[in-house]
């Protein structure tokens, strides 16, 4: 994949190597970052899957309601323009969605993007659930994703085990789910990089 400009970032080396944190962005930062997508309301499950072997490396949610956020429990992706509160990332524009996916996709992992359409009300319930769930401990991404979803109408039967693959298998049984696969030939260590142009302007790139 053609890249923009990279800067090194001191991030954990393993997808699951991150524990609970106390990151709490200010109200001003969260308000300023707020992004409202023109796409229909939805809940998306991201699953990072190993190549080869098909083992689950990480689980996260993207919720598109009155705003679009990513719930990244025990996740390691960050960016100086994305405020975070206890694993909830705000201001997820299309560019930042692509950067998030690209951070995880590499020669040793691919990313499944599975999306279920919901009402705006349900999406906003999901946002409130992940906001209230708190920061996840290391390796608890699937556990906390399931815990948050169980309080959302239509998602009450979400599993709460440690397996991202089991979470995805259940999610794929939901009505109306659509799926995309994101693969990338970047080196296995590209998750130690943040993508940013020299002038700070975020410019996206097309994905298939």
């Amino acid at each position: 994949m053609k890249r923009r400009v990279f800067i090194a970032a001191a991030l954990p080396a393993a997808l699951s190597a991150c524990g609970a944190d106390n990151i709490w962005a200010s109200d001003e930062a969260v308000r300023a970052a707020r992004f409202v997508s023109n796409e229909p309301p939805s809940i998306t499950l991201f699953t990072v899957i190993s190549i080869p072997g098909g083992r689950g490396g990480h689980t996260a949610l993207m919720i598109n309601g009155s705003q679009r956020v990513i719930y990244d429990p025990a996740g390691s992706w960050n960016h100086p323009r994305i405020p975070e509160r206890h694993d909830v990332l705000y201001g997820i524009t299309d560019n930042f969605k692509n950067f998030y996916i690209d951070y995880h996709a590499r020669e040793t992992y691919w990313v499944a993007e599975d999306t279920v359409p919901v009402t705006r009300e349900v999406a906003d319930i999901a946002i409130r659930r992940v906001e209230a769930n708190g920061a996840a401990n290391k390796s608890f991404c699937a556990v906390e994703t399931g815990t948050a979803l169980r309080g959302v109408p239509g998602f009450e039967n979400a599993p709460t085990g440690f397996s991202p693959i089991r979470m995805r298998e259940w999610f794929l049984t939901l009505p109306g789910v659509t799926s995309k696969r994101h693969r990338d030939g970047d080196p296995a260590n590209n998750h130690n990089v943040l993508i940013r142009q020299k002038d700070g302007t975020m410019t996206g790139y097309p994905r298939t």
Side-chain angles (χ1 to χ4, degrees), residues 69-137:
V69 306
I70 286 179
Y71 177 53
D72 193 31
S76 57
W77 184 81
N78 61 40
H79 191 279
R81 292 193 177 184
I82 295 295
E84 176 182 350
R85 284 183 169 179
H86 287 175
D87 296 334
V88 180
L89 307 172
Y90 297 88
I92 304 301
T93 64
D94 292 343
N95 281 337
F96 282 120
K97 172 193 170 183
N98 287 341
F99 296 151
Y100 180 86
I101 292 170
D102 191 54
Y103 170 88
H104 293 91
R106 60 191 75 103
E107 62 185 1
T108 51
Y109 286 93
W110 66 278
V111 178
E113 178 185 350
D114 303 306
T115 300
V116 172
V118 296
T119 65
R120 176 63 59 87
E121 179 183 9
V122 168
D124 285 346
I125 290 173
I127 292 174
R128 292 194 295 271
R129 285 286 299 176
V130 299
E131 288 177 327
N133 208 49
N137 289 316

Side-chain angles (χ1 to χ4, degrees), residues 182-198:
H182 301 276
R183 300 195 66 163
D184 197 325
D186 288 337
N189 66 350
N190 81 328
H191 58 287
N192 285 325
V193 174
L194 288 176
I195 306 171
R196 190 173 68 176
Q197 288 197 334
K198 286 182 178 179

